[in-house]
Amino acid sequence: MNMNKLVSGLLFGLSVVISLPSMAGGKPFEDKFRQLDELLPTPNTYRTASGAPGHKYWQQQADYKIRVKLDDQKQKLTASETITYTNNSPDTLTYLWLQLDQNRFKRESLDKMTRTTSVAGKENPKTTFSSMRNRVKSSQHDGGYDITKVADSRGRAMKYVINNTMMRIDLAKPLKSGQDIEFSIDWNYQVREQKVLGGRAGFEYFKEDDNYLYEIAQWFPRMAAYYDVYGWQNKQFLGNGEFTLEFGDYDVQITVPADHIVAATGELQNTKRVLTSTQRKRLAKAKTANKPVIIVTEEEAIENEKEKSSKTKTWHFKAENVRDFAWASSRKFIWDAQGYNEGDIDTMAMSFYPKEGNPLWERYSTEAIVHTIEHYNKYSLQYPYPVSISVNGPVGGMEYPMITFNGPRPKVDKKTGEKTYSKRTKYGLIGVIIHEVGHNYYPMIVNSDERQWTWMDEGLNTFVQFLAQQAWEENYPQRRGPARKIVNYMKSSHQVPIMTNSESILQFGNNAYGKPATALNILRETIMGRELFDFAFKEYAERWKFKRPTPADFFRTMEDASAVDLDWFFRGWFYTTNHVDLSLDKVTKLHIGSQDPEVENAWDRDQFNQEPSDISNMRDKGLVVRTKGKPELLDFYNEHDEFTVTNSDRNKYVKDQKKLEDWQLELLKNGSNIYVVDFSNKGGLVMPIILEVKYTDGTSEIQRISAQIWRKNTEQVSKMLITDKEISAITLDPYWETADVDVNNNYWPARVVESRLALYKRKKSKSMMEKFNQKLKTKEDLEAEEKKAEEKAKAEKDAKEKKAA
Ligand SMILES: [Zn+2]
């Protein structure tokens, strides 16, 4: 059935809203449509009431020059950086704040000290080996920066104070509005083993070939953001609230073992120095290719793995107008690339992965990058950077400007060496690449304050990820976005509103990714419609690209560009933990009374006769009653019931008719069916009422009533439907598009709830005597058994291959 046809074919001649008094159930009336202004900051010249940057909008600039050396023997970084900080604010600054993210890994960091555990409180404490290894190693690992120098442009030491993950540099001379300052910092730190210690960066060690793969991020002291809403954003890094950063230009030289391949934010400057002529030729070919071109093949990467060069090479990268810089390095990297040129966009999608990533990575990674850019451009802004990179390493999924770290890999059968992957891994890989590359848009370009609001980047990004995945293949297995997927979270307890600081969020993934992404999808499909939504959403990205928006700027822009009052929606979905549960309570069928006693009294009698008999009267049938043998006891009242029409009734009818005007008489003859449908709001969130109405003639139609139906009464409303046809069934929210947590109260007539009762066998456990008598096996016995199994598996594999050949 064509949905559009259904929606446009609206049939109801007339519909009237009947509202009940405002004190429903004795509770005070709550205005769910109250405007948000009392919660949002007052607009000013920096941020307007329309949600756009104001005419005096400003932001700081931080440019970096970094020289870093990777010690592959000790997995250690040593670097020297020069920062040029430009004060574009109207304020005079007497000190500067920098972020020292690595200090989160110091033994006594705020994060480590405040981490809680639930193990001991349990009756039977248990945890996984890897989780316990993480705890033990974390408690031993004393990471963090060793800062060896902080000096001004003339080399004079500057005064500084370190408070956990933040460093304050006190300025000898205040930095006035419009001025800039140059200073440098020398530092080093021990890179962490990511697979053991976790985190958004680190190294992975490959035992089989004795090699390291590095994913390096949050690696250099970075300027904290200073902006009109919060001043210095120097809230400590506790692990969840990510990074609030300034835009700037980067000049970075990375020295690594000569046989390493390096991927980084920005454009490689010294291609001739670090790449072979073959690699350069392949890269040139990739620029115009329509599928990935291999720059370093798997065979070449395997050769590199063996080299173990003791020489070094320096890779030089430059990046303009980025808010961060990250890189990856290994001699294990296979490298493929494909150019993407569309309109003004000229970029190179590239993937770097060890052989362990194949066959998944060569097939999907670069293709997924190109797909992401294509679809995010459609809904957000035009991708402005020269490269977009996906790296496979220890980190599960993390984003940086132009470069992302993505984890999924196939599984290797230890016995046969065969590589297989699950459906979950395949879509996990495609999904995580789309997600992380998508972060280039939010928050790498639409530069929201992540330390404050996780949803502003994760929620918006997860929503566009959903749209991009829709365009990957039909019926893509979506995890977040469809309304029905958020229902269990919405009805769960232990929740906080979306508008909660990043470090205080409960149920992180659902709260900051799933719920906002679903909310946006509902706005698009159900509340605003695709045309109005897409324009407003794109307008937000266009207004705030390379700037720093706040929640109010998003809320205001969505209304400003669409003329849809969404305060009720943002209030309900972003500021409360209410859920949607609308209920279709009752359907009443009415007809207009003709006032003619001959007609109406007969109708009344008919209704009376439809009532069930009185139980005593029923059982007393056949009882010998007094009047039976004495008809003289029967009179007028035994012949006429109360429905008998009297002459008085007839006279009154004629008299009344004379008093009515023609249009009133006309209405009395109207034969339409009038249905009054009662709804109640059990969940708290007001939402549109979407009805599928089925008629006895087999036709059906969809009616969409916007959420404003609840504005005078948020708990109960009734809707009148007038039709010539007879309604046979009504379904509320027929496509499950509102995240209604209980659809069983959405049907008239009510629906039988189907479920399954599973039967199971009770398991018999082994007795202690049986266990005692079991044959004793030595380690050698077990090894022999294992070897036998291995041989069998190998023989089976060989036979399979032979058959296939
Ligand atoms: Zn994310």
Side-chain angles (χ1 to χ4, degrees):
M1 216 177 336
N2 184 313
M3 271 244 301
N4 290 329
K5 249 186 193 160
L6 267 178
V7 177
S8 61
L10 273 184
L11 45 125
F12 301 100
L14 173 70
S15 53
V16 183
V17 179
I18 302 173
S19 256
L20 294 175
S22 58
M23 284 280 282
K27 272 190 280 171
F29 173 66
E30 192 194 343
D31 179 7
K32 304 240 177 200
F33 293 84
R34 196 164 75 248
Q35 296 298 282
L36 269 185
D37 300 61
E38 63 203 41
L39 293 175
L40 302 183
T42 309
N44 53 41
T45 51
Y46 309 130
R47 292 164 197 276
T48 70
S50 70
H55 69 277
K56 285 194 174 164
Y57 177 84
W58 55 267
Q59 65 190 16
Q60 309 292 65
Q61 163 115 4
D63 302 321
Y64 297 82
K65 218 177 229 180
I66 310 175
R67 307 286 174 262
V68 61
K69 193 168 184 253
L70 167 68
D71 183 339
D72 190 37
Q73 299 300 314
K74 294 183 183 151
Q75 298 84 51
K76 194 173 172 179
L77 290 186
T78 306
S80 177
E81 72 180 273
T82 302
I83 303 175
T84 307
Y85 184 70
T86 309
N87 180 14
N88 294 321
S89 83
D91 315 323
T92 298
L93 303 174
T94 54
Y95 48 77
L96 308 175
W97 280 102
L98 281 90
Q99 315 189 44
L100 305 181
D101 306 295
Q102 286 299 323
N103 282 4
R104 182 184 149 216
F105 306 122
K106 277 194 183 290
R107 194 173 288 146
E108 294 185 347
S109 76
L110 197 54
D111 171 39
K112 278 192 186 174
M113 297 304 282
T114 58
R115 221 179 281 172
T116 58
T117 180
S118 59
V119 170
K122 287 179 183 160
E123 224 163 273
N124 298 304
K126 64 175 177 183
T127 188
T128 61
F129 274 102
S130 56
S131 153
M132 199 57 221
R133 179 175 65 170
N134 175 290
R135 294 277 171 161
V136 171
K137 297 275 182 186
S138 285
S139 71
Q140 292 164 349
H141 174 87
D142 194 12
Y145 289 108
D146 177 14
I147 303 230
T148 53
K149 187 186 101 179
V150 180
D152 68 12
S153 57
R154 290 203 219 157
R156 291 174 303 200
M158 294 171 92
K159 200 182 146 209
Y160 66 91
V161 171
I162 294 174
N163 171 11
N164 262 286
T165 58
M166 291 286 163
M167 173 166 81
R168 191 189 71 225
I169 299 181
D170 296 332
L171 302 177
K173 215 175 81 193
L175 184 66
K176 290 193 181 137
S177 175
Q179 289 182 339
D180 59 41
I181 183 172
E182 192 188 294
F183 59 97
S184 43
I185 305 172
D186 290 357
W187 49 264
N188 62 77
Y189 76 85
Q190 188 64 44
V191 181
R192 293 151 51 85
E193 184 169 6
Q194 202 280 344
K195 290 270 182 198
V196 175
L197 294 167
R200 292 168 179 78
F203 70 80
E204 179 178 4
Y205 177 63
F206 294 78
K207 209 168 132 193
E208 299 74 19
D209 49 84
D210 184 29
N211 273 303
Y212 292 84
L213 189 160
Y214 299 86
E215 289 180 321
I216 303 295
Q218 295 97 41
W219 56 291
F220 58 99
R222 300 177 292 182
M223 290 306 304
Y226 180 79
Y227 73 110
D228 57 298
V229 177
Y230 288 107
W232 285 106
Q233 176 49 282
N234 53 10
K235 197 170 161 37
Q236 296 289 340
F237 181 33
L238 292 179
N240 278 341
E242 291 185 330
F243 314 104
T244 309
L245 298 159
E246 306 285 14
F247 286 103
D249 298 338
Y250 285 71
D251 182 320
V252 181
Q253 293 191 21
I254 304 166
T255 303
V256 296
D259 47 9
H260 271 214
I261 294 286
V262 178
T265 300
E267 256 177 317
L268 182 60
Q269 301 295 305
N270 57 342
T271 322
K272 281 191 184 156
R273 287 287 278 280
V274 294
L275 300 184
T276 65
S277 67
T278 314
Q279 288 164 349
R280 278 182 277 129
K281 265 182 221 152
R282 291 169 180 168
L283 259 181
K285 199 180 138 203
K287 248 184 130 33
T288 52
N290 59 6
K291 62 179 189 190
V293 171
I294 306 277
I295 313 299
V296 175
T297 67
E298 184 161 332
E299 295 69 39
E300 288 162 351
I302 290 169
E303 281 310 304
N304 284 347
E305 280 182 356
K306 294 174 191 154
E307 206 173 311
K308 310 276 193 299
S309 173
S310 56
K311 292 196 192 106
T312 63
K313 253 186 199 173
T314 298
W315 295 59
H316 185 193
F317 294 90
K318 279 186 180 176
E320 278 171 25
N321 214 10
V322 286
R323 49 163 253 168
D324 200 359
F325 190 103
W327 52 283
S329 183
S330 181
R331 54 175 67 88
K332 289 179 66 69
F333 280 144
I334 301 165
W335 175 8
D336 72 46
Q338 181 188 340
Y340 179 75
N341 303 282
E342 212 51 69
D344 294 339
I345 300 155
D346 180 9
T347 193
M348 189 77 105
M350 304 196 282
S351 299
F352 296 78
Y353 42 95
K355 62 179 187 297
E356 286 76 5
N358 271 338
L360 265 181
W361 273 71
E362 60 189 8
R363 180 177 295 168
Y364 291 119
S365 177
T366 298
E367 195 72 41
I369 300 172
V370 172
H371 181 80
T372 308
I373 293 175
E374 228 171 74
H375 290 276
Y376 273 65
N377 283 2
K378 199 169 145 196
Y379 297 107
S380 303
L381 49 93
Q382 301 299 293
Y383 188 75
Y385 294 132
V387 299
S388 181
I389 297 168
S390 163
V391 179
N392 180 233
V395 178
M398 191 56 204
E399 69 275 13
Y400 303 97
M402 305 186 219
I403 185 168
T404 61
F405 300 160
N406 303 299
R409 270 179 205 156
K411 201 170 141 187
V412 187
D413 188 314
K414 275 193 184 146
K415 285 178 189 147
T416 63
E418 202 174 10
K419 281 181 181 174
T420 55
Y421 53 86
S422 63
K423 183 176 176 184
R424 197 191 154 111
T425 304
K426 174 191 164 180
Y427 290 100
L429 177 67
I430 296 167
V432 77
I433 292 175
I434 294 176
H435 180 93
E436 306 307 344
V437 173
H439 270 307
N440 271 288
Y441 298 75
Y442 314 90
M444 298 299 148
I445 295 170
V446 180
N447 183 23
S448 60
D449 182 344
E450 294 182 81
R451 180 89 10 120
Q452 203 66 250
W453 307 114
T454 297
W455 72 267
M456 283 201 79
D457 70 300
E458 296 300 355
L460 269 56
N461 181 40
T462 302
F463 165 67
V464 189
Q465 178 196 349
F466 162 80
L467 295 176
Q469 287 175 173
Q470 286 291 96
W472 178 271
E473 69 185 42
E474 268 176 47
N475 301 316
Y476 185 97
Q478 297 279 7
R479 198 156 71 95
R480 288 170 171 149
R484 69 188 70 179
K485 301 266 175 182
I486 202 70
V487 162
N488 283 335
Y489 168 69
M490 294 294 277
K491 63 184 175 192
S492 68
S493 52
H494 203 53
Q495 267 193 62
V496 288
I498 291 175
M499 283 295 289
T500 295
N501 172 265
S502 305
E503 291 299 345
S504 305
I505 294 170
L506 304 174
Q507 303 197 58
F508 201 77
N510 281 324
N511 176 292
Y513 295 60
K515 185 175 169 185
T518 311
L520 294 178
N521 194 28
I522 291 173
L523 276 183
R524 183 170 188 258
E525 298 286 18
T526 305
I527 315 275
M528 300 169 76
R530 291 185 172 193
E531 195 184 355
L532 287 176
F533 178 91
D534 289 353
F535 178 84
F537 190 75
K538 204 175 162 87
E539 178 69 10
Y540 166 74
E542 285 292 337
R543 283 176 174 187
W544 290 99
K545 65 183 177 191
F546 298 109
K547 295 191 169 72
R548 182 178 293 110
T550 64
D553 301 317
F554 177 71
F555 298 150
R556 286 174 166 145
T557 296
M558 291 306 288
E559 291 191 346
D560 186 67
S562 69
V564 183
D565 178 0
L566 298 170
D567 285 29
W568 64 271
F569 185 84
F570 293 132
R571 182 184 285 282
W573 281 79
F574 287 73
Y575 288 87
T576 80
T577 56
N578 291 344
H579 59 254
V580 181
D581 183 11
L582 301 186
S583 163
L584 197 170
D585 295 335
K586 196 172 104 187
V587 176
T588 309
K589 188 180 170 195
L590 305 171
H591 71 270
I592 293 175
S594 67
Q595 295 188 356
D596 182 347
E598 308 288 354
V599 177
E600 298 308 321
N601 287 21
W603 188 82
D604 287 341
R605 181 183 287 118
D606 201 36
Q607 294 298 305
F608 177 81
N609 288 339
Q610 281 180 37
E611 287 177 14
S613 302
D614 179 89
I615 186 74
S616 302
N617 290 350
M618 237 166 77
R619 290 182 178 163
D620 287 340
K621 265 229 161 94
L623 184 71
V624 182
V625 294
R626 177 154 298 272
T627 52
K628 184 98 188 224
K630 294 185 174 180
E632 67 272 22
L633 293 179
L634 298 172
D635 71 352
F636 176 82
Y637 292 105
N638 296 100
E639 266 170 57
H640 299 282
D641 59 15
E642 64 262 48
F643 304 112
T644 297
V645 182
T646 64
N647 284 340
S648 163
D649 294 335
R650 293 186 183 104
N651 294 342
K652 184 175 181 293
Y653 174 57
V654 174
K655 212 168 141 192
D656 287 350
Q657 292 274 296
K658 278 176 93 176
K659 286 185 209 156
L660 292 179
E661 294 181 36
D662 286 352
W663 65 272
Q664 290 169 321
L665 291 168
E666 188 67 29
L667 210 47
L668 291 179
K669 283 185 232 152
N670 184 300
S672 296
N673 293 313
I674 302 164
Y675 296 88
V676 174
V677 193
D678 297 341
F679 302 96
S680 61
N681 176 0
K682 299 191 184 311
L685 287 186
V686 290
M687 282 301 266
I689 290 178
I690 300 147
L691 298 179
E692 182 187 44
V693 183
K694 284 190 178 146
Y695 298 98
T696 49
D697 67 1
T699 59
S700 68
E701 66 193 300
I702 297 286
Q703 194 178 24
R704 293 177 167 270
I705 305 161
S706 74
Q708 268 78 3
I709 190 173
W710 300 99
R711 69 191 181 279
K712 303 265 173 84
N713 187 327
T714 59
E715 297 184 5
Q716 280 174 296
V717 292
S718 300
K719 178 88 183 160
M720 184 181 277
L721 311 175
I722 302 172
T723 166
D724 292 337
K725 299 183 193 179
E726 188 110 4
I727 294 177
S728 60
I730 303 177
T731 304
L732 177 59
D733 192 10
Y735 307 117
W736 293 2
E737 62 188 276
T738 65
D740 194 320
V741 306
D742 180 9
V743 293
N744 287 319
N745 55 23
N746 287 12
Y747 297 91
W748 177 83
R751 205 179 56 153
V752 172
V753 181
E754 300 274 359
S755 192
R756 175 178 25 225
L757 177 64
L759 303 183
Y760 66 94
K761 262 190 190 168
R762 201 171 266 158
K763 261 191 195 150
K764 280 185 195 143
S765 57
K766 274 189 181 153
S767 72
M768 185 180 166
M769 204 191 283
E770 267 179 289
K771 289 182 193 170
F772 188 84
N773 289 339
Q774 202 175 71
K775 189 181 164 257
L776 190 64
K777 287 176 191 170
T778 63
K779 206 175 148 203
E780 286 72 33
D781 291 337
L782 292 169
E783 274 167 8
E785 273 176 27
E786 222 168 85
K787 207 173 160 202
K788 219 170 152 189
E790 251 170 65
E791 277 163 8
K792 200 179 156 206
K794 200 164 177 296
E796 272 169 19
K797 194 193 160 206
D798 289 348
K800 216 166 101 192
E801 270 167 14
K802 221 174 181 180
K803 214 174 166 191

